[in-house]
Amino acid sequence: MVYEIAQIDIRPGTHADFEAGVQRCAPLFQRAKGCQAMQLQRSVEQPDHYFLVVTWDTVEDHMVHFRESADFQTWRAEVGPYFASPPQVQHTTVALTGF
């Protein structure tokens, strides 16, 4: 299992529209091959800064199956207009669980 963590900075004043767009796009992730979960987190200290955390079976499920799909194009068309800059994306795995 891998986690896609996308750091997304949005244009000020677009929070409600951005979050609504992410909500509308949730089914795109739900039906994507290898997608297990999706969560959008908003920074408390920097309210224009979000983290999209998506759980995938493999990096390939994200980078090939989803990123090369029509659903990804729909996702970007829906939420891309709110981006202040391109998202920064990393893939992580759990190294240690403390609880």
Side-chain angles (χ1 to χ4, degrees), residues 15-94:
H15 303 107
D17 293 333
F18 172 69
E19 290 176 16
V22 173
Q23 182 65 45
R24 284 191 298 275
C25 288
L28 304 177
F29 289 87
Q30 289 172 333
R31 69 179 175 226
K33 179 183 186 303
C35 185
Q36 300 299 321
M38 180 191 85
Q39 183 179 75
L40 183 66
Q41 300 178 10
R42 184 176 179 188
S43 173
V44 173
E45 292 82 10
Q46 300 175 30
D48 295 333
H49 190 79
Y50 286 83
F51 294 93
L52 176 70
V53 182
V54 185
T55 307
W56 298 97
D57 288 338
T58 67
V59 172
E60 182 178 290
D61 285 335
H62 173 225
M63 296 302 294
V64 176
H65 301 131
F66 184 65
R67 290 286 301 258
E68 295 179 7
S69 72
D71 281 346
F72 178 76
Q73 297 304 317
T74 300
W75 156 255
R76 287 307 287 259
E78 182 72 37
V79 300
Y82 307 109
F83 295 168
S85 58
Q88 300 297 310
V89 179
Q90 294 187 22
H91 296 96
T92 67
T93 59
V94 175

